[in-house]
Amino acid sequence: MMVRARARAQINIALVKYWGKRDTSLNLPEAGSLSLTLDGLGTTTTVVFDDDAPRDTLTINEEAQQGSALTKATRVLDALRERAGLRSHATITSHNSVPTSAGLASSASGLAALTQAAAVAAGLNLSREALSATARLGSGSACRSLFGGFAEWSPGKHADGHDSHAHELFGPDHWDLHVLVAILARGPKSISSTEGMEHTRRTSPFHAGFIATVSQDLQEAKAAIAARDLMSLAPVAERSCLRMHADMLAADPPLCYLQPASWAIIHRVQTLRKEGVQAFFSADAGPNVKVFCTPEEVPMLHAELEAMPGVKEIIICRPGHGAEVLDPIP
Ligand code: DP6
């Protein structure tokens, strides 16, 4: 027997950051987080369950994957196989329109697309919340990419993690926030988020302080998003980002994902906002910087970023939709 399905999911950028797990095997976070799913940057994945396949395989952009990428995919597949009573192995073929492992959340869109495609191929009709909890097993941030627009990941209370999934706060049409993604480096990062996060949790004396700030940030971010108030969202998102980076920098040995060119953009955006420009920055486990802004500010910010040293490319994104099934072909 052979069944296949194809799905697409897009990356999400956290406005209130996830950095720290209470359970590493189930990717259960210590605190909540909140993100915006972006359009145009994501992953399309085909999953084929085949009784004759000797093992699970994964290719991303035509390259066969081993190690952690395959392990993450297998965790999702195992959970779905168990639910569906399925024993066959899967052949997973993924294409990223986002640079792989460059701090641009390709694992979030990848694991979200895989979960959606594999669930359909396995004949499961799961709620988006159940898909989100399953995608979380592969990569924590992937649970937010099941949803479009603004999504919040509730950490949950249960040890098995069934209540640790994302939900939609506001759909992509709620607020036409634009994001300019300034690409400073395309190669894979030297230390993955998974490793960096656990290293930080274990060794940073600032970690408990970072975690303690999250619930206040979530509350303020949600109010600012509900009111479509960029100037109120800006300080919350920037401090969540910088506190996460401060936490990483305080690890032993320290983790420093941001480059001088990243800091130059951060400073420029802060200066521009003081001058009244509706924009703020965010950055994750890599050097690339994302600049959130109103649509009116896009041309000016694009010109500003283009002139900054080290900027290789600028990708302009808008709020995007959640994971979607493309063709559940038998
Ligand atoms: C900095 O979701 O990639 O992007 O759960 O180990 O797969 P794992 O980590 P991952 O971490 C993302 C961290 C971040 C912040 C965020 O997206 O909230």
Side-chain angles (χ1 to χ4, degrees):
M1 193 196 71
M2 196 164 114
V3 283
R4 78 186 279 263
R6 198 158 68 102
R8 175 171 57 207
Q10 317 200 74
I11 69 167
N12 71 78
I13 307 294
L15 295 163
V16 177
K17 301 294 185 187
Y18 150 55
W19 197 253
K21 300 177 195 187
R22 68 173 198 275
D23 182 319
T24 49
S25 60
L26 295 174
N27 288 337
L28 297 177
E30 295 175 279
S33 57
L34 190 162
S35 62
L36 177 63
T37 298
L38 303 186
D39 74 337
L41 287 179
T43 309
T44 301
T45 295
T46 304
V47 176
V48 181
F49 284 111
D50 181 353
D51 287 348
D52 295 331
R55 70 188 80 85
D56 294 328
T57 56
L58 166 65
T59 60
I60 302 179
N61 295 347
E62 330 299 341
E63 267 184 46
Q65 305 289 314
Q66 306 291 337
S68 73
L70 185 58
T71 309
K72 286 174 180 214
T74 305
R75 277 200 232 155
V76 167
L77 292 172
D78 285 345
L80 294 172
R81 276 189 285 245
E82 197 185 323
R83 267 187 192 245
L86 195 72
R87 297 175 71 143
S88 37
H89 287 111
T91 304
I92 311 162
T93 313
S94 275
H95 289 99
N96 279 337
S97 66
V98 46
T100 305
S101 303
L104 271 187
S106 63
S107 73
S109 56
L111 271 306
L114 165 65
T115 304
Q116 178 69 81
V120 171
L124 293 166
N125 186 13
L126 300 180
S127 68
R128 228 166 244 275
E129 285 72 17
L131 290 168
S132 170
T134 309
R136 189 206 72 234
L137 298 168
S139 178
S141 54
C143 79
R144 299 184 308 234
S145 276
L146 264 300
F147 297 89
F150 296 88
E152 180 182 9
W153 175 8
S154 311
K157 289 192 173 72
H158 292 272
D160 69 358
H162 74 270
D163 56 346
S164 183
H165 55 73
H167 60 274
E168 183 184 286
L169 289 172
F170 298 100
D173 298 331
H174 170 69
W175 187 10
D176 195 17
L177 206 55
H178 278 51
V179 185
L180 292 98
V181 181
I183 310 278
L184 301 169
R186 282 201 192 81
K189 56 200 171 208
S190 52
I191 299 170
S192 69
S193 319
T194 307
E195 267 179 89
M197 195 182 296
E198 193 50 14
H199 172 68
T200 307
R201 190 190 64 79
R202 281 191 288 104
T203 66
S204 164
F206 293 1
H207 188 64
F210 166 69
I211 293 297
T213 62
V214 174
S215 67
Q216 177 71 25
D217 285 351
L218 282 171
Q219 212 176 308
E220 286 184 37
K222 283 192 273 187
I225 293 165
R228 299 184 193 87
D229 180 351
L230 187 140
M231 289 310 214
S232 297
L233 181 57
V236 186
E238 289 188 352
R239 77 179 180 238
S240 176
C241 169
L242 289 181
R243 282 173 180 163
M244 176 183 74
H245 284 277
D247 192 14
M248 297 162 169
L249 286 168
D252 186 14
L255 275 177
C256 185
Y257 288 109
L258 298 174
Q259 299 287 331
S262 323
W263 286 110
I265 297 174
I266 287 171
H267 287 298
R268 189 71 197 123
V269 170
Q270 286 185 323
T271 305
L272 287 167
R273 196 166 67 259
K274 280 196 194 113
E275 292 166 4
V277 174
Q278 300 245 343
F280 64 87
F281 65 81
S282 190
D284 295 293
N288 302 317
V289 181
K290 296 96 185 180
V291 181
F292 291 73
C293 63
T294 54
E296 299 74 39
E297 308 283 20
V298 170
M300 186 275 288
L301 284 165
H302 191 275
E304 281 279 342
L305 291 173
E306 218 170 20
M308 305 283 303
V311 175
K312 296 199 167 92
E313 188 186 344
I314 300 161
I315 304 169
I316 302 173
C317 301
R318 297 176 59 181
H321 291 275
E324 51 195 340
V325 181
L326 295 176
D327 48 356
I329 306 164

